Amino acid sequence: MARRTERQMVAVLRERFRPAATVGANQPNAAASIHVGIGDDAAVVAGSEAAWVSSVDAAVDGVHFDLAFLDYADVGYRAFQAAASDLGAMGAIPVGALSALILPRTLSDAALDRLTEGQAEASRELGCPILGGNISRGRELSVTTTVLGRCPDAPLCRGGARAGDQVWLVGSVGLAGAGLACLRLGLGADGVGSNARGTALRAAASEASRRAVERCIGAWRRPRALLEPGRDLAGIASACIDVSDGLATDAAQLARASGVRLVIERELLRAALDQELLGASHVLKRSALHFALYGGEDYALLATGPSGQRPTFARPIGVVTRGQGARLATPEGERPLSRGFDHFGR
Amino acid sequence: MARRTERQMVAVLRERFRPAATVGANQPNAAASIHVGIGDDAAVVAGSEAAWVSSVDAAVDGVHFDLAFLDYADVGYRAFQAAASDLGAMGAIPVGALSALILPRTLSDAALDRLTEGQAEASRELGCPILGGNISRGRELSVTTTVLGRCPDAPLCRGGARAGDQVWLVGSVGLAGAGLACLRLGLGADGVGSNARGTALRAAASEASRRAVERCIGAWRRPRALLEPGRDLAGIASACIDVSDGLATDAAQLARASGVRLVIERELLRAALDQELLGASHVLKRSALHFALYGGEDYALLATGPSGQRPTFARPIGVVTRGQGARLATPEGERPLSRGFDHFGR
């Protein structure tokens, strides 16, 4: 059977990524504001007096995702959410996205369909239409997503934290890391990421533990960018970063950009952890706190701001002080938070 | 010796891509309008009432470039110019770009330096600052560039050609294709793309022929996006596309988008060809017209518009008629222009 030509693929993508005709309350960017979308040399978006925000993020096979544990739809979905998460961290309203795919010859049309369905699903959920993109041949599958947004208020940057601010956590941390650990142990339920040892462990676990494992696996496979909380933080928080590499690493990044020290209080962080993380960590016989600090890929938001202005959805987990670096405060004393995962580290 | 960490690489890139402090006449986007650049979650650009344009383009090792014939600086330079070419085709003023690099472990820091120097050089030449980006590990080198621009006038789209318009060519076609053919034949002068057969051919050629070969090789290694001519076409041309895949393919794309037929008149096209293309084609013993129609990678502009409004820098090479497809008119009659190169074709 003949494979699709490039033009046919573009036609499929144009159809799949067509902006929704009806725009709901979650989707502040009306489709009407897109003047030119997929199929022309470039996408055109109507301007306004707001600041415009753009960011790009790549997901590479074998580096950012493992097809042993993910369907192609998951690959597309999470690549899009990961890219969009940067809009949340800036407090931006999504305007649109561009998708650049590098596709090996071995990738079937069906797999590409699944992948782009996952992208389209995330795009719809976030109200962030795919305005254009590029497809290229290559030996290695990758999904590179550019997101564009606008900020009616001042954008939330990493460099605004001041001594005396509180440290806030929005969303959950640790679940995705625990979910990946569950899959690696064979605790998956659907034949993906399951093996005899994991199946025995599942059988021995309580119903609540099994639900906790499922929830963590879901958090890793299908993360969700926190665009609305990000917008709500704009004008309130002094600084913000999305937690993609683990709380320890991203706290250190925010501290560095702001020229301050971030002190995370262990007992406050513990109190902010999800029950499902505790449940899955119990099954895994590993520390929930470790997943929370070093797990990554949750796409929570880490912000700072005056304690008196903390929104209810933001949980206080520490304080900003003079100094540098990210530290963990415990009843026994304070210690540096060592770094999380770095693809470029050895 | 220890390799750079991800953070160190970002620091190097931030320095390299820092917007110029002085902004010249060629650079309409003042550095001051960039509110947040490299090193934060996203790049922020001040908005205005103009339409905003964005496009993404990938260059993949072994698909879009061949390191046997290019230095890493050339790879970065041409990837950036190729992406920016889409801004020219839209008649847009560049606002900035995002660079997403997938880097194999085998790529040395020195090679990465060269690659990003090439990107920075193109960025400076075009007045299109790199606002941010992403670096990822992978097995296969690729450079994915997002460009952002704005259009004070209506953007130049592919779909506006009307029967009765003239077909215009801006810039040169065929040189890049001929240059690549020269390198493949061993006609390179600097040890890159040279062999005994090529060296003998060079020795037998005239000084003018050697200059022609050099010019064509330079056109392939260092293409230049036609941003200023693109802006000058805005408000005049009815449609425009950049010639990245070869005149035949891109003429067919424009015809399809506009629902018209594009007829390229062979003798007009011949008259528009560069002397250097003719010289290099003579050395190669191949048809200059073939390179012009099927060569690709020149990043010329193909536009349409009323003959009375043709700017002097646009050469007339044909007419738009009712019908469909792209055709070549010769004194002997008209024939369809078959397609150029498609990475996804067989």
Side-chain angles (χ1 to χ4, degrees):
Chain A
M1 201 183 78
R3 295 274 299 270
R4 284 188 199 136
T5 64
E6 178 169 355
R7 188 158 65 85
Q8 287 169 329
M9 286 197 240
V10 170
V12 168
L13 297 185
R14 184 193 292 130
E15 182 58 32
R16 179 155 299 143
F17 295 152
R18 192 208 304 268
T22 53
V23 177
N26 273 348
Q27 298 166 310
N29 44 302
S33 73
I34 303 164
H35 288 182
V36 180
I38 294 169
D40 217 302
D41 288 301
V44 181
V45 180
S48 78
E49 287 304 330
W52 290 67
V53 172
S54 58
S55 179
V56 64
D57 194 57
V60 182
D61 184 13
V63 179
H64 303 95
F65 58 87
D66 184 339
L67 286 164
F69 298 147
L70 290 172
D71 175 49
Y72 282 102
D74 297 328
V75 170
Y77 183 93
R78 69 202 299 275
F80 196 96
Q81 294 280 353
S85 176
D86 282 329
L87 292 181
M90 303 298 286
I93 297 169
V95 168
L98 305 173
S99 161
L101 303 175
I102 297 179
L103 308 172
R105 286 194 184 279
T106 50
L107 191 84
S108 70
D109 285 350
L112 180 58
D113 280 345
R114 294 286 294 150
L115 192 152
T116 53
E117 276 161 21
Q119 292 179 292
E121 185 181 347
S123 161
R124 281 191 303 270
E125 281 183 16
L126 296 173
C128 183
I130 298 173
L131 305 174
N134 188 72
I135 47 176
S136 298
R137 273 279 167 252
R139 294 185 304 278
E140 180 173 71
L141 176 64
S142 68
V143 182
T144 299
T145 310
T146 301
V147 288
L148 307 171
R150 59 190 172 86
C151 287
D153 303 308
L156 276 172
C157 299
R158 295 179 181 181
R162 295 292 168 259
D165 281 348
Q166 240 180 5
V167 178
W168 300 335
L169 178 65
V170 178
S172 302
V173 285
L175 276 74
L180 180 57
C182 288
L183 288 167
R184 285 182 172 152
L185 206 65
L187 282 161
D190 48 5
V192 177
S194 69
N195 61 26
R197 181 186 172 200
T199 303
L201 269 173
R202 281 179 68 90
S206 68
E207 177 58 29
S209 293
R210 280 197 291 272
R211 275 201 305 271
V213 165
E214 285 312 305
R215 167 84 177 86
C216 289
I217 290 174
W220 181 72
R221 282 193 184 142
R222 295 265 165 166
R224 181 83 191 242
L226 299 180
L227 297 191
E228 287 180 49
R231 292 205 290 277
D232 291 341
L233 285 172
I236 295 174
S238 56
C240 188
I241 190 171
D242 69 321
V243 186
S244 50
D245 297 329
L247 200 51
T249 294
D250 292 314
Q253 296 239 42
L254 197 155
R256 191 180 307 115
S258 295
V260 296
R261 170 173 293 176
L262 248 72
V263 182
I264 292 174
E265 293 178 27
R266 191 183 67 189
E267 298 317 308
L268 288 177
L269 177 58
R270 235 196 258 282
L273 299 183
D274 287 42
Q275 281 303 315
E276 287 96 340
L277 173 60
L278 302 178
S281 300
H282 181 75
V283 176
L284 290 162
K285 299 189 172 54
R286 289 176 62 183
S287 153
L289 206 62
H290 187 274
F291 287 122
L293 288 169
Y294 305 108
E297 301 192 291
D298 281 300
Y299 304 103
L301 298 177
L302 181 70
T304 58
S307 61
Q309 293 194 41
R310 179 175 62 84
T312 52
F313 62 80
R315 281 160 298 178
I317 60 164
V319 292
V320 180
T321 68
R322 269 193 272 266
Q324 57 182 11
R327 296 173 75 88
L328 188 71
T330 71
E332 302 84 47
E334 225 181 271
R335 64 173 177 82
L337 276 172
S338 53
R339 290 174 57 82
F341 189 66
D342 175 358
H343 288 300
F344 287 88
R346 256 132 314 274
Chain B
M1 201 183 80
R3 295 274 299 270
R4 284 187 200 138
T5 65
E6 176 169 356
R7 188 159 65 82
Q8 288 168 330
M9 284 197 242
V10 170
V12 168
L13 297 187
R14 185 192 293 127
E15 182 58 32
R16 179 155 299 143
F17 296 152
R18 190 207 307 269
T22 53
V23 176
N26 272 348
Q27 299 167 310
N29 45 300
S33 71
I34 303 165
H35 288 181
V36 178
I38 294 169
D40 217 301
D41 288 300
V44 181
V45 179
S48 78
E49 288 304 330
W52 289 67
V53 172
S54 58
S55 179
V56 64
D57 194 58
V60 181
D61 184 14
V63 179
H64 304 95
F65 58 88
D66 184 339
L67 285 165
F69 299 146
L70 290 172
D71 176 47
Y72 283 102
D74 297 328
V75 170
Y77 183 93
R78 69 202 300 275
F80 196 95
Q81 294 280 354
S85 175
D86 281 329
L87 293 182
M90 303 297 286
I93 297 169
V95 167
L98 305 173
S99 160
L101 303 175
I102 298 179
L103 308 172
R105 285 193 185 281
T106 49
L107 190 84
S108 71
D109 286 349
L112 181 58
D113 280 346
R114 294 285 295 150
L115 191 152
T116 54
E117 277 162 19
Q119 292 180 292
E121 185 182 347
S123 162
R124 281 192 303 271
E125 281 184 14
L126 296 174
C128 183
I130 298 173
L131 305 174
N134 187 73
I135 46 176
S136 301
R137 273 278 167 255
R139 294 185 303 279
E140 179 175 71
L141 176 64
S142 67
V143 182
T144 298
T145 310
T146 302
V147 288
L148 306 171
R150 59 190 171 84
C151 288
D153 303 308
L156 275 174
C157 298
R158 295 179 182 181
R162 294 291 168 261
D165 282 348
Q166 236 178 10
V167 178
W168 300 335
L169 177 65
V170 179
S172 301
V173 287
L175 277 73
L180 180 57
C182 288
L183 288 167
R184 286 183 172 151
L185 206 63
L187 283 162
D190 50 5
V192 176
S194 70
N195 60 25
R197 182 184 170 200
T199 304
L201 269 173
R202 281 179 68 89
S206 68
E207 178 58 30
S209 293
R210 280 196 292 272
R211 275 202 305 272
V213 165
E214 285 312 305
R215 168 84 177 88
C216 289
I217 290 174
W220 181 72
R221 283 194 183 142
R222 295 264 165 169
R224 181 86 191 242
L226 300 180
L227 297 191
E228 287 179 49
R231 292 206 289 278
D232 291 340
L233 285 172
I236 296 174
S238 56
C240 189
I241 189 171
D242 69 321
V243 185
S244 51
D245 297 327
L247 200 52
T249 294
D250 293 314
Q253 296 239 43
L254 198 155
R256 192 180 305 114
S258 294
V260 296
R261 169 173 294 176
L262 248 71
V263 182
I264 293 175
E265 293 177 30
R266 191 182 69 189
E267 298 316 309
L268 287 177
L269 177 58
R270 233 194 258 281
L273 298 184
D274 288 42
Q275 281 303 316
E276 288 96 340
L277 173 61
L278 302 179
S281 300
H282 181 74
V283 176
L284 289 162
K285 299 189 172 54
R286 289 176 62 184
S287 152
L289 205 63
H290 188 273
F291 287 122
L293 287 170
Y294 305 108
E297 301 192 292
D298 281 299
Y299 304 103
L301 298 177
L302 180 70
T304 59
S307 61
Q309 293 194 40
R310 179 176 62 84
T312 51
F313 61 80
R315 279 161 297 178
I317 59 164
V319 291
V320 179
T321 68
R322 267 192 272 265
Q324 58 183 10
R327 297 172 75 89
L328 188 71
T330 70
E332 302 84 47
E334 224 180 272
R335 64 174 177 82
L337 276 172
S338 54
R339 288 174 57 80
F341 190 65
D342 175 357
H343 288 300
F344 288 88
R346 256 134 319 275

